[in-house]
Amino acid sequence: MKFGIDIGHNCPPDTGANGIKSEDRLTTEVGNKVIDKLKSLGHTVIPCKPNSARTVSQSLGSRCNIANSNRVDVFVSIHFNAFNGKANGAEIFAMSDAGRKIAQPVLNEIIKLGFFNRGVKNGSHLYVLRRTNMPGILVECCFIDSAKDMQLYDGEAMANAIVAGLTGKVATTPVSPKPINPPPNVPANPVPNAPVNTITGEEENKDRSILRLQQTLNRLKITDRNNKPLVEDNSMGPATSSATEKFQRVVGVLATGMASKTTWDAINEILSKRVVAGTKATGAIVRYLQYRVGAVSDGIYGPQTQGAIKKFQQQNGLTADGIVGVMTWQKLIG
């Protein structure tokens, strides 16, 4: 099945609400996980969030145009509610019988997480449901200004619930008996997309590769689930796994928490510190730059990303030209 997944807001001036947490941050977290999980189940996924817009109306229209032009089978827009600090729970909007049939099982799965059931509601007033040509739902996962909801909230569990409701299946994290690690002697400045051999033998090599992973994530300013730098202890514990998963989400690869060859390819591309400039630049290296400078993460070097890079350069005493060259990389990763 082909799904259109719309990560709500995140396209200034179209920005989400703020409460105990930020809607833009949570929709990005849940949306990216939903996309990864649907892909892992074999579905085609079309991300519908635009890169930039001059107005909120243009942002909404672009989302609909992406879904319509790609002829997706189901459109899903992910949001979080905010009201008065007391309202709580999950609700889903739909405007057709087909949409309501999609909405109900998704809501049922979210309610299993402990959220109050606010029901499936009429979404005929919502732009993205009115202007899309296929059955669609808008999910209000819970309230970001509700202490009760924020205590219950877990991005992984929420994404699993949405995917289970949409497909009837749970997307589990792939388990490999032996994690694929980089060789112990990865060069300091590897070439992008260089082949990386798999460690299959002795514990000493495996430990050294885990240590290198920890050192590299710290160099790239990727923190663990508690936003702390990693302790470089040669151990692939929960902190290192969570930081690895965070990096994978940042660069747009399957977030397993295990350092696969795809993960090391992305790391190597970033460590190559190649010059990045112009709208033709795409991929993991651009996503990493967007993460570091606070731009919307879509892997495309557009005007908004260029503006954020110029701001970073200006703040760090560099020539604000939007070109990520030697001096800018030095400020980013040394």
Side-chain angles (χ1 to χ4, degrees):
M1 184 173 285
K2 185 186 287 188
F3 290 95
I5 301 299
D6 173 31
I7 296 174
H9 305 296
N10 285 284
C11 185
D14 181 359
T15 55
N18 285 294
I20 297 170
K21 294 188 178 181
S22 158
E23 182 180 11
D24 278 359
R25 285 183 178 274
L26 297 195
T27 54
T28 299
E29 178 185 24
V30 173
N32 284 333
K33 287 178 180 289
V34 167
I35 289 170
D36 288 343
K37 291 174 186 295
L38 287 172
K39 287 181 178 178
S40 74
L41 290 173
H43 297 284
T44 301
V45 182
I46 305 298
C48 295
K49 183 184 71 64
N51 179 37
S52 61
R54 291 187 298 273
T55 65
V56 173
S57 293
Q58 187 182 64
S59 170
L60 297 174
S62 295
R63 297 166 201 266
C64 300
N65 291 340
I66 293 170
N68 292 338
S69 62
N70 283 278
R71 297 182 179 179
V72 303
D73 299 310
V74 175
F75 176 79
V76 181
S77 189
I78 298 173
H79 290 259
F80 283 77
N81 248 326
F83 185 48
N84 60 2
K86 296 179 181 179
N88 64 92
E91 59 193 17
I92 300 182
F93 291 88
M95 60 173 290
S96 67
D97 289 339
R100 283 185 279 274
K101 287 179 181 177
I102 296 165
Q104 192 60 62
V106 174
L107 183 60
N108 292 344
E109 292 294 329
I110 295 175
I111 298 312
K112 290 178 185 178
L113 304 178
F115 294 99
F116 175 69
N117 187 346
R118 299 175 64 89
V120 174
K121 298 184 175 181
N122 182 1
S124 58
H125 62 293
L126 296 172
Y127 189 109
V128 293
L129 296 185
R130 286 190 288 110
R131 299 296 180 92
T132 42
N133 299 333
M134 64 294 302
I137 62 173
L138 187 145
V139 183
E140 293 282 7
C141 298
C142 61
F143 283 74
I144 58 169
D145 60 346
S146 162
K148 180 179 179 180
D149 279 3
M150 289 298 94
Q151 286 173 355
L152 285 172
Y153 171 76
D154 177 89
E156 182 76 11
M158 184 64 72
N160 279 335
I162 293 171
V163 171
L166 289 171
T167 67
K169 297 179 181 179
V170 177
T172 55
T173 302
V175 177
S176 172
K178 289 186 178 180
I180 301 173
N181 294 303
N185 297 315
V186 176
N189 290 299
V191 226
N193 302 318
V196 180
N197 295 325
T198 302
I199 298 297
T200 57
E202 52 188 317
E203 288 299 312
E204 180 186 1
N205 282 350
K206 186 166 70 173
D207 286 346
R208 285 163 62 190
S209 63
I210 293 172
L211 176 61
R212 183 170 292 280
L213 173 66
Q214 292 168 330
Q215 291 170 335
T216 304
L217 292 174
N218 282 337
R219 180 181 177 188
L220 297 180
K221 311 297 184 188
I222 303 293
T223 53
D224 67 12
R225 68 181 67 180
N226 297 314
N227 291 320
K228 293 182 179 179
L230 295 175
V231 176
E232 296 171 6
D233 59 1
N234 298 344
S235 173
M236 195 68 184
T240 302
S241 293
S242 67
T244 303
E245 184 179 347
K246 179 187 286 188
F247 174 80
Q248 290 166 329
R249 291 198 305 270
V250 165
V251 299
V253 303
L254 184 63
T256 64
M258 296 165 56
S260 64
K261 180 182 181 299
T262 307
T263 303
W264 277 100
D265 285 346
I267 288 173
N268 289 347
E269 184 181 1
I270 294 164
L271 293 183
S272 72
K273 298 192 285 190
R274 65 177 173 83
V275 175
V276 177
T279 56
K280 292 183 179 179
T282 59
I285 196 168
V286 175
R287 285 182 179 274
Y288 175 74
L289 288 171
Q290 290 170 327
Y291 167 75
R292 288 299 306 277
V293 301
V296 174
S297 178
D298 59 5
I300 301 170
Y301 191 99
Q304 197 229 20
T305 299
Q306 184 182 58
I309 288 171
K310 286 181 178 180
K311 183 178 180 180
F312 174 87
Q313 291 170 324
Q314 188 175 37
Q315 291 171 338
N316 286 274
L318 304 173
T319 302
D321 55 8
I323 300 172
V324 184
V326 175
M327 297 306 295
T328 303
W329 278 117
Q330 182 70 22
K331 290 292 184 181
L332 286 164
I333 63 175

